[in-house]
């Protein structure tokens, strides 16, 4: 069956690994969460999903801890490192975030999302040269990736390479025409060139 989380309504033993206090001393989302009755779920999977949920209540430290527990159980899962890197980045630890992206890439060199996330974090850290390299590598792996074009466009814009940024934003718009951010940046750069 499918596993899902629901607010606990009856007393009883918790599923192993749940009810860890959030950053403000309360369980996730002010609820005592449990897994639906009669569902078995791998503890690493549970911690992975807790890591995915905790940022919604700004508990990045709790998310990092949940991903760390998942990684301890499955140290070769590149997705666990990649997701922990987002929690670390949102927590302000760019160095740890880049290190986790690098681990994910070493485990799975074709993992486009890890290349993109590392590039985004390098931009935030003020390292556009490495960011540009990572977005370009993501496009080598997946030539039609919206986020790689968008991220490379942002990087080129930050470096003052406006013509190249316009080209990347244009490719991103071609891939996701209903997105609002890339067209806005595209038009902004076109106005600068006039």
């Amino acid at each position: 069956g499918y596993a899902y989380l629901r607010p606990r309504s009856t007393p009883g033993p918790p599923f192993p690994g749940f009810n860890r206090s959030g950053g403000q001393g309360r369980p996730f989302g002010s609820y005592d969460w449990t897994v639906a009755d009669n569902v078995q779920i791998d503890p690493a999977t549970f911690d992975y999903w807790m890591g995915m949920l905790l940022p919604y209540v700004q508990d990045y430290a709790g998310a990092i801890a949940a991903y760390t527990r998942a990684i301890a159980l499955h140290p070769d899962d590149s997705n666990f490192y990649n997701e922990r890197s987002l929690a670390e980045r949102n927590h302000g630890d760019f160095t740890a975030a880049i290190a986790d992206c690098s681990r994910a890439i070493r485990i799975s060199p074709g993992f486009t999302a890890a290349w993109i996330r590392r590039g985004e974090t390098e931009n935030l850290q003020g390292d556009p040269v490495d960011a540009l390299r990572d977005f370009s590598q993501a496009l080598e792996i997946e030539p039609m990736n919206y986020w790689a074009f968008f991220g490379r466009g942002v990087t080129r814009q930050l470096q003052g390479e406006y013509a190249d940024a316009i080209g990347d934003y244009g490719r991103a718009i071609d891939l996701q025409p209903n997105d609002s951010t890339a067209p806005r940046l595209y038009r902004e750069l076109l106005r600068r060139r006039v």
Side-chain angles (χ1 to χ4, degrees), residues 20 33 43 45 54 69 89 93-94 98 121 124 134-135 154 161-162 164 167 183 189:
R20 294 188 175 92
W33 290 87
T45 301
L54 287 167
R69 289 189 300 273
R89 184 175 82 189
D93 191 348
F94 297 153
I98 289 170
T121 307
L124 291 171
D134 285 346
F135 291 124
V154 168
E161 298 172 7
Y162 300 129
D164 291 333
L189 285 180

Side-chain angles (χ1 to χ4, degrees), residues 52-130:
M52 297 290 283
L53 293 170
L54 287 167
Y56 287 102
V57 292
Q58 285 76 45
D59 185 5
Y60 302 114
I64 293 166
Y67 288 127
T68 300
R69 289 189 300 273
I71 288 167
L73 295 170
H74 296 287
D76 292 329
D77 190 316
S78 59
N79 195 47
F80 290 174
Y81 289 102
N82 190 50
E83 294 301 334
R84 184 172 70 175
S85 75
L86 180 59
E88 290 163 337
R89 184 175 82 189
N90 289 337
H91 197 56
D93 191 348
F94 297 153
T95 302
I98 289 170
D100 270 350
C101 288
S102 297
R103 282 186 201 109
I105 290 165
R106 276 195 303 279
I107 293 167
S108 300
F111 190 11
T112 308
W115 289 98
I116 292 168
R117 184 159 293 152
R118 190 169 75 176
E120 292 168 344
T121 307
E122 288 161 342
N123 266 341
L124 291 171
Q125 196 173 32
D127 186 2
V129 173
D130 285 341

Side-chain angles (χ1 to χ4, degrees), residues 104-105 108-116 118 133-145 148-149 152:
I105 290 165
S108 300
F111 190 11
T112 308
W115 289 98
I116 292 168
R118 190 169 75 176
R133 180 203 63 225
D134 285 346
F135 291 124
S136 295
Q137 179 60 39
L139 287 167
E140 287 290 319
I141 297 165
E142 192 177 327
M144 302 299 284
N145 188 292
F149 277 115
R152 194 169 73 175

Side-chain angles (χ1 to χ4, degrees), residues 161-181:
E161 298 172 7
Y162 300 129
D164 291 333
I166 288 169
D168 283 337
Y169 289 145
R171 292 297 307 270
I173 292 166
D174 289 344
L175 293 169
Q176 287 191 19
N178 295 325
D179 178 63
S180 62
T181 307

Side-chain angles (χ1 to χ4, degrees), residues 157 162 166 169 180-194:
Q157 183 176 356
Y162 300 129
I166 288 169
Y169 289 145
S180 62
T181 307
R184 181 179 51 80
L185 294 172
Y186 180 83
R187 286 188 304 272
E188 179 183 304
L189 285 180
L190 284 177
R191 280 194 297 273
R192 281 189 190 179
R193 290 182 66 194
V194 174

